[in-house]
Amino acid sequence: MTYACFLLHLAKLHFKSMHSSLYIYIYNAMADVNAKRVPPFLQKGVKPEDGGGDAQQPKEEIIEEPSLPVIAPSYPQIVQEEISMVFNTYNMAANLGPSSRRKREKGAGHDGTSTALYVDRRKSKVWNYYTKLGDAYVECNVCKKQLSFHNSTTTMREHLVRKHSIRDTLLSQLKDDQASEADYAAPENGIKRARQMTPENNLYHPTPCLEPRTDMILELVLEMIFRDLHPLSMVKDKGFGLLLGYLEPSFTLPSPAQLSSMLWHRYNVVKQHLEHYLQTAHSVVLCVESWISQLSQPYLTVTASFIDGEWRWARCILETQPVHENKGASDFGERLYTVLSEFGLSCKAVSCVIHDSLRDTAANSEQLQGAYGWASLCCAAHLLDLCIQAGLEVEQVQEALSAARGIVRYFQQDAKATCSLNSKLEAINKTKLKLVMDARPRWITTIEMCESLLDLKWAIMSVLEEHPKGTAAVQNLADHQWKLLQDLVPVMRTIKIATSFLREEQNVSISSLMPCIHGIVAAIGQQCEESNSVIKTVVGNIRAQLMQRWGISEDETVLESPAVIASFLDPRFKEMRFLSPTLRSELHRRVKNMLSQMFNHQSPPPASFWVPNSDYKAEGGEAGGQLPAHKDRGSGSQSQSMYDILLGKDPTESMPEIHQQLENYIVEPLCKRSTNPLDWWRSNEHRFPAVARMSRQYLAIPATAVLPDQAFAANESALEHRRAVLAPENLDQILFLHQNFDFLESMRNNSENRGRNLHIQY
């Protein structure tokens, strides 16, 4: 019986993967083995040795197995039970279909003796991704999130689309129950379908036989590439193949060419959604970032910044393209115009362009303003870098910083000196203090280097004295240089605080820039009053650069800056404390004229900034572009005329509605500094609709060409590092999806949640 039991055990272990021919082979082999060990009195044609009458020959019985029509003799009871168990299990597995089908074991029958397997035959293909938890909840097999279930798969389907990008087209292509059962009942059909589901043929056009798990793995591999900025060649890396092969042995990795096709398909889908979303923008600001790859290839990344209809600040990448050195300023405007055309935007939809380079600034600005009517502004982070570098160019400061870099470099290269320094820090429980080397031209790292040297001054000098070679290898800072760094750090720290303010979410707009710049000029001016002449020179250079580059002066030219108008339209800074009373009154007059001109046309005004003419009079009649004044506001015209004799004419009688909105906005109380101006305008748009329309245009201008966290970062971000190694063939699509995929999904979810809440309220 040993050989028979081995065959039975083998059959039970592999019944899911064996074909019917193998089962027949095992069945017949067992029959042959056991037939040789059947007692002689049970074998056909053999009489019992001990007599007692004619022995009855055993009857042949047919075991009714539809897929295994084998006739076997009767065996001992234990062998027959084992064989029956094996083939009954095989029949149940065949009825259940593929492994992706759910298996449920039904409890005992009414008589308490029989047990059967219950197959869940749900019609919806959504159930391939869910497991039911009782009658009221289901669990997603992908993210393990539990959802409520009320005899409807709508919520389950929406969860797959929103969270896992499993669209209805993918769900409709899954196998149904009948096709699965037919494949297992007829193995030749399964072989034909297996040939159809090869990755080379159906990676981009999945067939109904493609397993949901395979589709999900492909989608996750693609998402990992554009979410984490990996090159497509990653699928050819040995380590990645070994990992995925261990986790999913039956999965075949796609080739880079196949992933490229999938990437283009996903790119086109997301691009269509972005085109529809951009149509909701009243005005768009184009942000242009210049950067260089590891292959020294310069690129331009064009980003659209705007405020949508729900007062949400949006920033979407439009395109990343290589730059050729032989192109002039005219090509810059043509590039931007081509990008706008690809997304269905007109030139009138653009209010201004933010760039991060001063190269050919005058030529680009003139060309953009003349050909397209776009204002051109430089990135605030880039201008601030230039201002600080101008201050640090003082000779004494450069000598002190050079000596400081030499000390840090010495401890980085000398292991013994580093060990001595660490031991001294451990003795006073200050092991967290570390020396920092600055990374020029990032001035924030220069501050960190100076701060680390000042914190470790006593330990550094002690180590240099203990190591004679150290004094010869590195030049220590002189006493006046230590004092210079000590006086320089507070000035630089003030500017660093300003950058922290601009990095906050509610201060992304250019409306926060002018109050911040004026604050820097005033603060560092007070700090240098009692400092030495070197620090006064540094501060004087920085202040001069700030005032020059941002046009800070006491004349009316400062009012032409879009940043000043944006600050006035920010409910936190509308008092404009950094301006003199005369300039404030002039700013109010100019904004009033702009409102009149904006609503002078019946057609929607262009998004570009409007500068009022010098001869334009806002207080003129209706021919001057005003809306009709409010009439009959008093109890009667006669009584009003009588009161006018005593009090003069009521100014609101002849004031246009839009001007009255502006006056009401001016007297509105200030908001807290932590208030998000977009949230305030979302709640008060109905009170000042004309002013809100202008605010939506100016508050959409960002202070930096890139995100503030990246613009004011001390070190290179992961985005900057990873995009530099991407292949140029798929760089545009990967960066586009990396920036826009989650953003558009969050915008849509927020809109749906807001609409659902409004529906509940009403």
Side-chain angles (χ1 to χ4, degrees):
M1 293 295 293
T2 304
Y3 183 61
C5 293
F6 170 76
L7 292 176
L8 286 171
H9 182 66
L10 181 64
K12 285 187 287 184
L13 289 178
H14 301 279
F15 71 89
K16 291 184 178 180
S17 60
M18 289 183 175
H19 299 290
S20 58
S21 58
L22 184 58
Y23 277 96
I24 296 173
Y25 172 79
I26 297 175
Y27 191 98
N28 292 333
M30 293 172 57
D32 295 340
V33 171
N34 288 282
K36 298 177 182 180
R37 303 184 62 88
V38 173
F41 65 88
L42 290 179
Q43 295 184 10
K44 183 177 181 180
V46 179
K47 297 182 180 181
E49 297 178 356
D50 55 354
D54 297 337
Q56 291 183 350
Q57 296 180 356
K59 297 181 180 179
E60 295 180 348
E61 58 179 347
I62 299 177
I63 301 177
E64 296 181 359
E65 292 291 337
S67 59
L68 300 174
V70 181
I71 300 177
S74 59
Y75 304 117
Q77 185 67 23
I78 183 172
V79 178
Q80 189 172 357
E81 291 178 356
E82 291 286 344
I83 296 173
S84 176
M85 180 184 66
V86 171
F87 288 103
N88 286 338
T89 308
Y90 165 75
N91 289 335
M92 288 187 292
N95 292 332
L96 285 175
S99 59
S100 62
R101 298 277 307 277
R102 292 179 176 78
K103 304 177 181 68
R104 284 191 175 183
E105 184 174 354
K106 194 175 181 180
H110 297 288
D111 55 356
T113 57
S114 62
T115 302
L117 287 180
Y118 169 73
V119 180
D120 192 0
R121 300 179 179 273
R122 298 184 179 92
K123 299 296 183 182
S124 177
K125 307 306 179 295
V126 177
W127 286 104
N128 289 278
Y129 297 93
Y130 287 92
T131 301
K132 191 171 183 182
L133 306 176
D135 296 333
Y137 295 95
V138 294
E139 183 181 75
C140 177
N141 296 334
V142 181
C143 62
K144 303 302 180 182
K145 183 178 181 180
Q146 295 184 5
L147 307 174
S148 300
F149 176 67
H150 304 287
N151 296 325
S152 174
T153 60
T154 302
T155 304
M156 301 158 59
R157 186 182 299 271
E158 291 179 354
H159 173 78
L160 293 177
V161 173
R162 295 175 183 173
K163 300 299 182 182
H164 308 298
S165 301
I166 302 177
R167 307 294 173 182
D168 294 340
T169 55
L170 178 61
L171 296 174
S172 62
Q173 292 167 347
L174 300 178
K175 290 185 294 184
D176 56 359
D177 297 341
Q178 291 79 4
S180 301
E181 293 177 359
D183 289 345
Y184 273 76
E188 61 275 8
N189 295 339
I191 295 174
K192 293 179 181 179
R193 290 179 179 269
R195 292 175 181 173
Q196 296 173 356
M197 58 183 290
T198 56
E200 293 77 10
N201 297 333
N202 298 288
L203 184 61
Y204 322 117
H205 305 284
T207 57
C209 67
L210 201 59
E211 291 288 346
R213 185 175 179 85
T214 302
D215 290 338
M216 179 56 61
I217 294 176
L218 284 174
E219 294 294 330
L220 291 177
V221 170
L222 180 64
E223 289 197 14
M224 182 182 64
I225 286 176
F226 68 75
R227 287 183 186 276
D228 300 333
L229 299 178
H230 291 298
L232 298 183
S233 59
M234 184 193 66
V235 296
K236 300 174 64 177
D237 295 342
K238 185 176 181 180
F240 180 74
L242 291 175
L243 174 63
L244 201 57
Y246 177 79
L247 298 176
E248 198 70 23
S250 60
F251 179 75
T252 302
L253 279 173
S255 65
Q258 294 168 335
L259 276 179
S260 178
S261 179
M262 296 175 61
L263 186 70
W264 270 98
H265 173 72
R266 181 72 68 90
Y267 167 79
N268 291 326
V269 172
V270 177
K271 184 178 179 181
Q272 291 179 1
H273 286 285
L274 181 58
E275 289 179 8
H276 293 300
Y277 184 52
L278 287 172
Q279 302 305 318
T280 64
H282 295 266
S283 64
V284 176
V285 179
L286 295 182
C287 303
V288 183
E289 177 193 6
S290 305
W291 57 280
I292 301 177
S293 67
Q294 286 190 351
L295 300 177
S296 300
Q297 170 63 51
Y299 285 93
L300 284 181
T301 297
V302 182
T303 306
S305 174
F306 60 95
I307 298 175
D308 65 5
E310 299 182 13
W311 288 95
R312 296 175 299 188
W313 193 75
R315 195 184 189 102
C316 309
I317 281 185
L318 300 183
E319 189 173 331
T320 300
Q321 50 184 238
V323 178
H324 303 287
E325 297 295 337
N326 56 352
K327 300 295 183 179
S330 60
D331 180 67
F332 182 71
E334 293 176 359
R335 284 174 178 268
L336 299 182
Y337 178 78
T338 303
V339 172
L340 291 174
S341 301
E342 292 181 359
F343 287 87
L345 296 174
S346 64
C347 295
K348 295 182 178 180
V350 178
S351 58
C352 71
V353 177
I354 307 293
H355 56 85
D356 63 349
S357 176
L358 292 180
R359 181 180 179 182
D360 298 331
T361 300
N364 287 336
S365 300
E366 183 178 354
Q367 192 261 344
L368 294 177
Q369 183 68 40
Y372 305 100
W374 302 338
S376 179
L377 301 176
C378 188
C379 173
H382 184 68
L383 289 180
L384 192 59
D385 287 341
L386 297 177
C387 296
I388 295 174
Q389 294 301 329
L392 298 180
E393 286 179 357
V394 178
E395 183 179 358
Q396 295 87 338
V397 175
Q398 288 295 318
E399 292 177 356
L401 293 178
S402 178
R405 296 186 186 101
I407 294 176
V408 177
R409 190 179 302 109
Y410 168 74
F411 280 96
Q412 289 178 344
Q413 298 175 355
D414 194 308
K416 292 183 179 180
T418 303
C419 292
S420 300
L421 181 63
N422 292 335
S423 62
K424 294 181 180 299
L425 295 178
E426 290 177 359
I428 58 175
N429 295 326
K430 291 186 177 181
T431 56
K432 294 183 179 181
L433 297 178
K434 301 293 181 182
L435 287 176
V436 179
M437 175 65 77
D438 68 337
R440 289 172 290 183
R442 298 179 183 268
W443 59 271
I444 294 182
T445 59
T446 303
I447 302 177
E448 295 176 352
M449 181 184 68
C450 296
E451 290 176 340
S452 65
L453 285 172
L454 292 173
D455 292 337
L456 301 176
K457 175 182 176 181
W458 64 271
I460 292 173
M461 299 183 66
S462 177
V463 172
L464 293 179
E465 292 177 358
E466 295 174 359
H467 292 74
K469 295 183 179 180
T471 307
V474 62
Q475 179 184 359
N476 193 6
L477 287 167
D479 293 339
H480 70 278
Q481 291 178 329
W482 284 108
K483 182 65 168 59
L484 179 61
L485 295 183
Q486 187 175 358
D487 294 339
L488 181 63
V489 166
V491 175
M492 305 296 290
R493 192 177 293 161
T494 301
I495 305 177
K496 186 178 179 181
I497 293 174
T499 62
S500 300
F501 174 77
L502 295 176
R503 293 174 69 172
E504 294 183 358
E505 181 181 2
Q506 66 272 16
N507 301 323
V508 175
S509 172
I510 200 174
S511 63
S512 304
L513 183 60
M514 294 305 291
C516 191
I517 297 299
H518 279 269
I520 294 176
V521 172
I524 63 177
Q526 296 176 358
Q527 289 176 341
C528 73
E529 290 180 355
E530 299 180 358
S531 301
N532 55 39
S533 59
V534 178
I535 297 299
K536 289 182 178 180
T537 304
V538 172
V539 172
N541 293 344
I542 295 177
R543 294 185 65 191
Q545 287 289 321
L546 291 173
M547 297 177 68
Q548 175 186 349
R549 296 189 180 277
W550 272 284
I552 300 177
S553 60
E554 291 299 329
D555 54 20
E556 297 182 0
T557 56
V558 69
L559 304 180
E560 298 177 0
S561 171
V564 175
I565 301 176
S567 298
F568 171 71
L569 297 174
D570 191 324
R572 303 171 299 171
F573 310 118
K574 62 186 180 66
E575 283 190 353
M576 309 297 286
R577 297 175 181 175
F578 55 87
L579 296 180
S580 63
T582 304
L583 290 180
R584 258 178 262 163
S585 301
E586 177 62 22
L587 176 63
H588 295 170
R589 188 189 67 82
R590 291 197 179 197
V591 174
K592 187 181 298 184
N593 294 347
M594 294 171 65
L595 286 173
S596 300
Q597 180 72 2
M598 179 178 291
F599 290 90
N600 184 34
H601 308 283
Q602 295 181 357
S603 58
S608 58
F609 296 122
W610 178 82
V611 180
N613 299 326
S614 58
D615 57 348
Y616 183 82
K617 302 298 182 181
E619 288 77 9
E622 294 184 10
Q626 304 165 351
L627 295 180
H630 291 287
K631 298 180 180 180
D632 299 335
R633 296 183 182 178
S635 58
S637 58
Q638 294 181 354
S639 59
Q640 287 293 333
S641 60
M642 293 172 57
Y643 296 150
D644 291 344
I645 298 175
L646 297 176
L647 305 176
K649 193 173 182 180
D650 189 352
T652 61
E653 288 293 329
S654 58
M655 181 182 296
E657 174 66 21
I658 54 176
H659 293 176
Q660 186 175 353
Q661 292 181 22
L662 181 62
E663 296 296 333
N664 294 338
Y665 168 73
I666 293 174
V667 300
E668 189 77 10
L670 284 178
C671 296
K672 292 183 179 179
R673 194 176 300 159
S674 58
T675 303
N676 191 321
L678 301 187
D679 294 339
W680 188 91
W681 276 111
R682 182 187 299 114
S683 303
N684 295 273
E685 180 181 11
H686 64 283
R687 300 174 57 198
F688 320 105
V691 185
R693 184 172 183 176
M694 180 181 292
S695 301
R696 194 190 299 271
Q697 174 181 339
Y698 279 88
L699 295 181
I701 307 174
T704 55
V706 296
L707 292 175
D709 288 338
Q710 177 183 343
F712 298 111
N715 302 309
E716 189 179 56
S717 63
L719 168 65
E720 296 173 293
H721 175 72
R722 293 185 177 184
R723 72 181 178 183
V725 300
L726 294 177
E729 294 81 10
N730 306 105
L731 183 142
D732 180 28
Q733 293 76 36
I734 292 177
L735 291 180
F736 180 87
L737 293 173
H738 175 80
Q739 175 74 18
N740 300 330
F741 189 80
D742 285 339
F743 169 75
L744 291 176
E745 195 72 19
S746 63
M747 291 292 103
R748 184 175 62 178
N749 292 340
N750 292 339
S751 298
E752 293 179 355
N753 294 336
R754 193 182 303 275
R756 189 179 298 110
N757 294 335
L758 291 175
H759 178 72
I760 294 175
Q761 293 177 2
Y762 291 99

